[in-house]
Amino acid sequence: MLLPELAPDHLILLAFGPGKGELILVRVPPDGWMVVDGCGAGRVDYAMKALAYYQARPRIVVLTHPHDDHSRGLARVIESATPRDRKEVWPRIGMVLPPGDDVSGRSAGFIAGVTRQAIAAVEARWSASPACRWDVNAGDLELLGDATLRVLSPRSDVREKQLGLWQAREPFDRNVISTALLLTWRGRRILLGSDLVEDPGDGWSHSLVLDPELGDHDLLKVPHHGSSEALHDEVLRPRARVPVPLRIFTPYSSSRLPRFSVGEGAHRVVSHGGTSYLTGLPRPHVEQSGRVEARALAELATHDAIAFDPMTAGFPDCYVLVSIPPDGGAPRVVQGPGSVLVVR
């Protein structure tokens, strides 16, 4: 198993998406690691594998919202990062707190088992060590080494309304309470879109009130697997500082996201410019490529017709790594097997 070697003075973003699920790892040099969400394939939890490979202990762990495709393996990450006899090394652990007191009861009918496990792991650590608790309120600032994280969503009134629906056991869109994050480091701006949507809830419109220049970013983890409902043109429109930003999509195979036909989400993102990568195609993990791919946007619109040989051999696969130098130089991108560079 080989993952790329990390330049010691570079900011690293490593995005995994093996067909279902999403994991974002960030390393602020020299050793400030953050885990955002989690994913896996087969019996492999990608976060634990990657952290073990790099011998990394996270300083921040975030569950952005209660969906099982973002929760897998996160309970194990938290367990590993919180030794019972060394609470002083525990990471800050962020989550939008669900309503009520009973984890299993309040989750019934809404949340899969891996998400219940992740929520329970977070709350147990919060109870044992209140210093590790981070409620990820919009506008919050948190340090990660010499980088700064800013919470962009959900806005407080939206958060309270959705949590009220949750507590009443009424249907609600969990993507509306997704935690989007803006990381700034030495003049660089990394926008982690989570699954935040614009429709419903006006999530990105609210985030643009906090920072009207969200389009000024070096890298965007495209929100909600590139769905049309998640996109806002002011976030996608590049600014003069970075006229060709990087965009990374993670797929969600059961919903056939992202979609590449004219007018669909991925086509819209690519049409705004920048350089776009997919961690994989919106198909099951076993059908991902065993090689690094580059495909034209028109070809991706009929991606079901693409046959790969060989198929993936498993982890480490379906990733895109971005290595950002401290001196303002161009980022370096490394694709893992299964990932796709979108050719315009």
Side-chain angles (χ1 to χ4, degrees):
M1 179 187 77
L2 292 175
L3 282 164
E5 183 177 350
L6 306 183
D9 61 342
H10 284 208
L11 175 76
I12 303 296
L13 181 136
L14 180 53
F16 287 96
K20 177 183 178 181
E22 174 178 304
L23 163 67
I24 307 297
L25 298 176
V26 175
R27 200 257 352 235
V28 176
D31 60 356
W33 284 86
M34 175 173 67
V35 178
V36 181
D37 293 336
C39 69
R43 297 183 177 182
V44 178
D45 291 337
Y46 279 32
M48 288 297 295
K49 281 283 193 180
L51 291 170
Y53 183 85
Y54 288 119
Q55 299 180 4
R57 177 183 292 275
R59 296 186 185 179
I60 295 176
V61 178
V62 179
L63 173 61
T64 63
H65 63 295
H67 269 153
D68 63 342
D69 63 309
H70 287 251
S71 305
R72 179 169 170 179
L74 209 57
R76 291 185 62 201
V77 169
I78 292 169
E79 179 68 34
S80 175
T82 54
R84 304 293 177 174
D85 58 345
R86 297 188 62 205
K87 291 181 180 177
E88 72 278 3
V89 304
W90 285 18
R92 290 277 278 170
I93 305 174
M95 176 182 72
V96 172
L97 179 65
D101 299 316
D102 175 53
V103 173
S104 60
R106 70 190 179 206
S107 303
F110 286 100
I111 290 180
V114 292
T115 303
R116 287 200 297 270
Q117 292 168 9
I119 291 171
V122 173
E123 291 194 293
R125 288 359 179 250
W126 282 4
S127 177
S129 178
C132 78
R133 177 170 177 161
W134 185 20
D135 286 293
V136 289
N137 293 303
D140 278 0
L141 298 176
E142 190 74 21
L143 295 179
L144 180 62
D146 63 349
T148 301
L149 283 168
R150 188 178 196 189
V151 178
L152 299 173
S153 66
R155 198 172 71 176
S156 58
D157 59 326
V158 174
R159 176 179 181 138
E160 292 309 310
K161 178 181 178 181
Q162 298 303 313
L163 293 181
L165 292 172
W166 188 349
Q167 188 162 27
R169 305 292 181 89
E170 296 182 18
F172 73 104
D173 189 333
R174 281 164 277 172
N175 294 323
V176 173
I177 58 170
S178 290
T179 300
L181 298 166
L182 177 66
L183 183 144
T184 58
W185 179 74
R186 303 191 181 187
R188 307 286 196 147
R189 288 162 56 93
I190 312 301
L191 183 52
L192 305 178
S194 179
D195 271 5
L196 183 64
V197 290
E198 176 65 11
D199 182 20
D202 300 320
W204 288 105
S205 292
H206 296 161
S207 298
L208 283 160
V209 174
L210 283 175
D211 188 329
E213 294 300 321
L214 289 180
D216 176 23
H217 55 256
D218 298 80
L219 187 156
L220 170 67
K221 199 296 294 179
V222 178
H224 194 230
H225 317 287
S227 75
S228 294
E229 294 77 12
L231 304 180
H232 193 297
D233 287 336
E234 282 301 300
V235 176
L236 299 177
R237 180 174 60 83
R239 305 301 198 266
R241 185 183 66 87
V242 185
V244 187
L246 300 175
R247 328 280 202 171
I248 298 178
F249 295 83
T250 61
Y252 188 50
S253 59
S254 60
S255 294
R256 309 288 292 169
L257 293 172
R259 300 176 186 139
F260 306 92
S261 298
V262 175
E264 296 281 9
H267 189 279
R268 185 172 158 193
V269 173
V270 173
S271 296
H272 271 279
T275 304
S276 292
Y277 294 88
L278 309 164
T279 60
L281 289 181
R283 56 173 61 178
H285 176 246
V286 295
E287 298 176 14
Q288 302 293 342
S289 176
R291 296 193 175 104
V292 169
E293 299 283 341
R295 300 281 174 166
L297 186 60
E299 187 179 11
L300 291 171
T302 55
H303 62 82
D304 284 338
I306 300 174
F308 294 129
D309 185 16
M311 299 292 212
T312 180
F315 184 90
D317 65 340
C318 297
Y319 69 81
V320 176
L321 182 146
V322 181
S323 183
I324 301 177
D327 59 2
R332 180 172 65 95
V333 178
V334 180
Q335 293 180 244
S339 67
V340 182
L341 168 64
V342 180
V343 181
R344 296 181 68 185

